[in-house]
Amino acid sequence: MDFLQGQSTETMVAVTVAVVAVAAGATFLLLRSGKRKGCLDPENFKKFKLVEKKQISHNVAKFKFALPTPTSALGLPIGQHISCRGQDATGEEVIKPYTPTTLDSDLGYFELVIKMYPQGRMSHHFREMKVGDYLSVKGPKGRFKYQVGQVRAFGMLAGGSGITPMFQVARAILENPNDNTKVHLIYANVTYEDILLKEELDNMAKTYPDRFKIYYVLNQPPENWNGGVGFVSKEMIQSHCPAPADDIQILRCGPPPMNKAMAAHLDELNYTKEMQFQF
């Protein structure tokens, strides 16, 4: 009987070890493949807790939201966005799209860099948010789909807060050692203080000098400014973006008047519709 009990114990230990080994192997393969179950739901809003709010300028702040576990990934494909739900100053519901500046490789949290406008309805909600509050989020959303090697180079035309999808795409490309895609970004703002993510963008240009180029354009530049002045012109696009070709694409994201003007410039420069994408 003791022999049978001992055999039973050994069998249980062996089974337990096998189960643990299989689980560990599956976890390793999951981590290695980079495929994680995301936290988003495309049909229903889910709440995420604000754990840090950092004021960057008088009207810009970075919001950090916790995911369910330290190893959770948001589950947002490159170049796509989320819908955020809040309340405006009158208490009415408002829903607006935002692009996180983090990637799925940033585990346990996601971040939004928000420019808050005086009359903005969703701006009011973010302005009033305090650490410990929850944000209702739904996604992923968006038409942009990216695969490594789909183009040789991207040209990017961004204005104001339209930088966030560009930053997300550029960061994903540059941080992937298997991706050789080049990125050429023109980023337009009114004043120097309006430039979002400047430190991060400059660091990317410094870290990846052969793969990432950025050209800033200001409508009201400070003294001794060595970037572009005024509005983004056809000449700027010709100088700082890849020329029309079947293996390039020009992305644009900015205020409606800028998007309209950039589309006209690109058409005149013989970029086909297939070579253009607007977020």
Side-chain angles (χ1 to χ4, degrees), residues 50 52-57 60-65 101 110-114 116 197 200:
L50 179 64
E52 185 179 329
K53 180 178 180 180
K54 181 181 179 182
Q55 203 71 29
I56 297 175
S57 70
V60 177
K62 180 186 289 186
F63 296 79
K64 182 177 182 179
F65 297 91
T101 54
F110 71 94
E111 292 181 341
L112 298 173
V113 175
I114 307 292
M116 291 163 284
L197 300 165
E200 291 86 346

Side-chain angles (χ1 to χ4, degrees), residues 168-180:
Q168 187 208 62
V169 172
R171 197 187 144 200
I173 289 170
L174 298 172
E175 292 183 9
N176 184 349
N178 298 316
D179 197 333
N180 296 316

